[in-house]
Amino acid sequence: MATAVTHRMRKFLNDPADLVRESLAGLAAAHGDVLRYDAQNKILLRVDAPVAGKVGLVSAGGSGVEPLHGGFVGLGMLDAACPGEIFTSPNPDQILAATEAVDAGAGVLYVIKNFPGEVMNFKLVAMDAKDEGIAVESVVINDDVAIADADRRRGIGATVLVEKITGAAAERGDDLQAVAAIGRRVNERARSIGVGLSSCAPPAHGKPIFDLPPGEIEFGIGISGEPGARRETMRSARDIAAEMLETVLSDLRPADGAQVLAMVSGLGGTPLIELYLMYGEIERGLRDAGLAPARKLVGNYITSLEMAGAALTVLELDEELTGLWDAPVHTAALRWGA
Amino acid sequence: MATAVTHRMRKFLNDPADLVRESLAGLAAAHGDVLRYDAQNKILLRVDAPVAGKVGLVSAGGSGVEPLHGGFVGLGMLDAACPGEIFTSPNPDQILAATEAVDAGAGVLYVIKNFPGEVMNFKLVAMDAKDEGIAVESVVINDDVAIADADRRRGIGATVLVEKITGAAAERGDDLQAVAAIGRRVNERARSIGVGLSSCAPPAHGKPIFDLPPGEIEFGIGISGEPGARRETMRSARDIAAEMLETVLSDLRPADGAQVLAMVSGLGGTPLIELYLMYGEIERGLRDAGLAPARKLVGNYITSLEMAGAALTVLELDEELTGLWDAPVHTAALRWGA
């Protein structure tokens, strides 16, 4: 029974079936200057969408990973976000409605995380959109090095960076092909790894998704509450950070002395005091590896409900990507220069 | 043994005794454009402090409540923050060092939360500062309506608003008396209440501060991990929000139709999806009470380590306070217009 679940779980909830809808309405109420919630189509739209002459950016994905994606709708980032239920892909109708709502004639870029259901849904909708005469391009993000086979790698932290940087490219007037090419470049130059220190409990499920015995942690965790690639023993922050960095850098292989952007994102239940401690470890490790941490982002940017833990994303910058990163942005979760 | 505690607790930690220092260093590494960490004096300073001609703003308090206060050091907010150990007041030497570091001849405003130890420390230092010829004024914040006796009320969420608004007043060039008067006005027009859905575990302590049986919550919680004013039964978000709002508004008694700023701050362990749902409930309640939610802030702004829960702060705005709220700010945790 819904009420019993709510009470047992001690979350801020009414009927768990209403969680996503009510939270989206709250997001729109809090940030009405930035976005609006189209409840009928279950999508979030930039308040001034469609923006004349600008490529439209659309992302989609299960809820429970906030602020992704709704928190990144606004000036200089996404034009629309299509949220599914908790850890569940949205349906194609939502994506098509978003595509139609943001297209201003310059075409639409889909920012897609490499999950089979999400990729398939976007593919289906892209065909419909093209039938309607809307030009569509896609960037498929697969930065999660927890998975060895790059074709099967999930899109996780790099999604935030692709959304920011393609958003800036679209804002400055790049055409659809150019914006897509920049998005693919960001994906190619970024890698991520996540570490979970606890499970999380989807409200409709009523209990934690997996059991994590005392003294163990999940290395290589995704963003849908699933366990990691392997279970490891709890260690010091310094040791965990070193393993995360080694895992990311051995795959990314950045140039000696490269400028990088480092993001340490909490998974939802880890407080800032720990995230900044981890960032300190990561920054030292980057410098020891001969890299220059030129841009930094620490906080809850891509999460798994109240899971404790953190994910590291490293992006090898170049001059253009740095400039696009620094360009003004005004969304619920990321804001500067505006 | 420190290592054993770390492993059992599954937090990102090295030696728990180093947590605060290492986290502050990480904060400074991540936000070197905004602030610097003076490790010798254990204080955080605005990167360009002292700022010529400007009143300096200093705050202080136990760690574990991040982003308060360090996350609010920067343009348009604090000039210095003095962090103590977890849930422990800093010592007077830190505050005196901060006072000397930020004074540029226009005097220094102390933003003090009404905890006996914190008030006493600031009083002691104020005498030393005056002996050194530094003009000092204080704002003591006591917005927590969980405590009936206003003289004993703690400073919680309103601290964020006082720091932002006095910071803007100092930035525009107001003199010390004027900045202090604006800070007191914000405190008089703001009330807060916090609800805890879990306890939290200070690393050096090694276990949760209090036990919370299933199905129960703490109403009227502070920011040092202590239990709330009373224990209540877990209920729907709608019911909890209504009780929080009633508690705040019955004490604040804002004018009919008043414009208000509403802040819903997570306590550290509650994800954004729940905070936005709560904000939606709060906004509806404010409108039903005939008030106009004109400014909104939702996220983790004043916390208690990884405690689950949220606090509500309502500030009755006026034209000047709204303008100062909207003025540019560039800190780790709050940024706009810059």
Side-chain angles (χ1 to χ4, degrees):
Chain A
M1 205 182 76
T3 309
V5 168
T6 303
H7 289 191
R8 193 169 67 239
M9 298 190 69
R10 285 197 294 223
K11 292 170 184 272
F12 291 120
L13 282 174
N14 296 308
D15 185 333
D18 297 329
L19 165 60
V20 171
R21 183 179 58 76
E22 290 178 342
S23 181
L24 294 171
L27 174 70
H31 299 282
D33 52 338
V34 168
L35 54 79
R36 58 194 156 91
Y37 176 42
D38 173 348
Q40 193 176 346
N41 289 306
K42 295 184 193 160
I43 56 177
L44 293 160
L45 293 168
R46 182 171 155 166
V47 70
D48 54 350
V51 181
K54 192 183 83 69
V55 170
L57 264 66
V58 174
S59 201
S63 294
V65 301
E66 290 71 23
L68 195 78
H69 298 279
F72 300 127
V73 171
L75 173 81
M77 267 183 104
L78 298 176
D79 294 86
C82 312
E85 288 300 312
I86 300 290
F87 300 152
T88 305
S89 279
N91 66 54
D93 292 347
Q94 291 170 260
I95 302 174
L96 186 59
T99 306
E100 293 166 349
V102 308
D103 180 52
V108 175
L109 178 70
Y110 290 158
V111 179
I112 306 173
K113 302 184 301 302
N114 191 30
F115 292 89
E118 190 169 316
V119 173
M120 191 182 65
N121 279 349
F122 269 109
K123 261 194 188 156
L124 288 171
V125 175
M127 290 190 292
D128 290 342
K130 283 170 187 164
D131 287 347
E132 295 181 17
I134 302 173
V136 169
E137 283 287 341
S138 295
V139 179
V140 179
I141 299 161
N142 64 336
D143 56 314
D144 184 0
V145 294
I147 296 163
D149 177 0
D151 291 341
R152 292 180 46 247
R153 281 183 182 166
R154 302 168 288 203
I156 53 172
T159 311
V160 178
L161 313 185
V162 170
E163 292 177 356
K164 169 65 183 83
I165 291 173
T166 56
E171 207 73 53
R172 75 177 174 186
D174 284 16
D175 68 21
L176 181 57
Q177 300 300 326
V179 177
I182 285 171
R184 290 179 197 122
R185 193 160 102 229
V186 173
N187 182 58
E188 282 160 18
R189 297 165 73 96
R191 301 291 187 280
S192 299
I193 191 78
V195 171
L197 305 188
S198 79
S199 184
C200 62
H205 189 58
K207 56 178 197 286
I209 294 180
F210 58 84
D211 285 321
L212 193 55
E216 300 192 2
I217 63 175
E218 295 283 347
F219 193 87
I221 206 131
I223 54 165
S224 300
E226 69 276 36
R230 59 178 185 266
R231 194 162 278 185
E232 298 192 349
T233 302
M234 183 66 203
R235 299 186 304 292
S236 68
R238 187 160 302 136
D239 289 352
I240 295 172
E243 185 181 5
M244 292 172 82
L245 207 48
E246 160 63 21
T247 306
V248 161
L249 294 183
S250 65
D251 198 278
L252 179 62
R253 299 180 176 279
D256 282 350
Q259 296 217 332
V260 297
L261 182 159
M263 176 173 80
V264 172
S265 175
L267 299 185
T270 285
L272 266 179
I273 191 167
E274 293 179 48
L275 296 179
Y276 277 117
L277 183 148
M278 278 298 272
Y279 180 76
E281 298 292 346
I282 293 293
E283 173 148 329
R284 180 175 30 236
L286 288 167
R287 293 189 188 282
D288 288 349
L291 299 167
R295 296 293 182 276
K296 304 101 185 262
L297 196 62
V298 182
N300 290 322
Y301 293 104
I302 174 168
T303 63
S304 290
L305 293 173
E306 73 281 2
M307 185 178 282
L312 168 68
T313 300
V314 178
L315 166 66
E316 185 173 359
L317 290 164
D318 60 29
E319 202 173 320
E320 184 181 33
L321 297 185
T322 303
L324 291 167
W325 177 259
D326 290 343
V329 60
H330 185 178
T331 67
L334 219 51
R335 183 173 180 186
W336 54 73
Chain B
M1 204 181 78
T3 310
V5 169
T6 304
H7 289 193
R8 192 169 67 240
M9 296 190 73
R10 284 198 296 223
K11 291 169 183 273
F12 291 120
L13 284 174
N14 297 308
D15 184 334
D18 297 329
L19 166 59
V20 170
R21 184 181 58 77
E22 291 178 344
S23 182
L24 293 172
L27 173 71
H31 299 282
D33 53 337
V34 169
L35 54 81
R36 58 193 157 90
Y37 175 42
D38 173 347
Q40 193 175 346
N41 289 306
K42 296 186 194 159
I43 56 178
L44 293 160
L45 293 167
R46 182 169 155 166
V47 72
D48 54 351
V51 181
K54 194 183 82 68
V55 170
L57 264 64
V58 173
S59 201
S63 292
V65 301
E66 290 70 22
L68 198 75
H69 299 276
F72 299 126
V73 171
L75 173 82
M77 266 181 106
L78 297 176
D79 293 85
C82 312
E85 289 300 312
I86 300 290
F87 300 151
T88 304
S89 279
N91 65 54
D93 291 348
Q94 292 170 261
I95 302 174
L96 185 60
T99 305
E100 292 165 350
V102 309
D103 179 51
V108 175
L109 178 70
Y110 290 158
V111 179
I112 306 173
K113 302 184 300 305
N114 190 31
F115 292 90
E118 190 171 317
V119 172
M120 191 182 64
N121 279 348
F122 269 110
K123 261 194 190 158
L124 288 171
V125 176
M127 289 190 292
D128 290 342
K130 284 171 186 164
D131 287 347
E132 295 180 17
I134 302 173
V136 169
E137 283 286 339
S138 296
V139 179
V140 179
I141 300 162
N142 65 334
D143 56 314
D144 184 358
V145 294
I147 296 163
D149 176 0
D151 291 340
R152 292 180 46 247
R153 281 182 183 168
R154 303 169 289 204
I156 54 173
T159 312
V160 177
L161 312 186
V162 169
E163 290 176 0
K164 169 66 184 81
I165 291 172
T166 57
E171 208 73 53
R172 75 177 174 187
D174 284 16
D175 68 22
L176 181 57
Q177 300 302 326
V179 177
I182 284 170
R184 291 179 197 123
R185 192 159 102 228
V186 172
N187 181 59
E188 281 160 17
R189 297 165 74 97
R191 300 290 188 281
S192 298
I193 190 81
V195 172
L197 305 187
S198 79
S199 185
C200 63
H205 188 60
K207 56 178 199 284
I209 294 181
F210 59 84
D211 284 320
L212 193 56
E216 300 192 2
I217 63 176
E218 294 284 347
F219 193 87
I221 205 131
I223 55 165
S224 300
E226 70 275 36
R230 58 178 186 266
R231 194 161 277 184
E232 298 192 348
T233 303
M234 183 65 201
R235 299 186 304 291
S236 68
R238 188 160 301 137
D239 288 351
I240 295 172
E243 185 181 3
M244 293 171 83
L245 207 49
E246 161 63 21
T247 306
V248 161
L249 294 183
S250 64
D251 198 277
L252 180 62
R253 298 181 176 279
D256 281 352
Q259 296 216 334
V260 296
L261 181 159
M263 176 173 80
V264 173
S265 175
L267 300 185
T270 285
L272 266 179
I273 192 168
E274 292 178 50
L275 296 181
Y276 277 118
L277 182 147
M278 277 300 271
Y279 180 76
E281 298 292 345
I282 294 292
E283 172 147 333
R284 182 177 25 240
L286 288 168
R287 292 190 190 283
D288 287 350
L291 299 167
R295 296 294 181 276
K296 303 103 184 264
L297 195 63
V298 183
N300 290 321
Y301 293 103
I302 174 167
T303 64
S304 292
L305 293 173
E306 72 282 2
M307 186 178 282
L312 167 67
T313 301
V314 177
L315 166 65
E316 185 172 359
L317 291 164
D318 60 31
E319 201 173 323
E320 183 181 34
L321 298 184
T322 303
L324 291 167
W325 178 258
D326 290 344
V329 61
H330 184 179
T331 67
L334 263 197
R335 183 174 179 186
W336 55 72

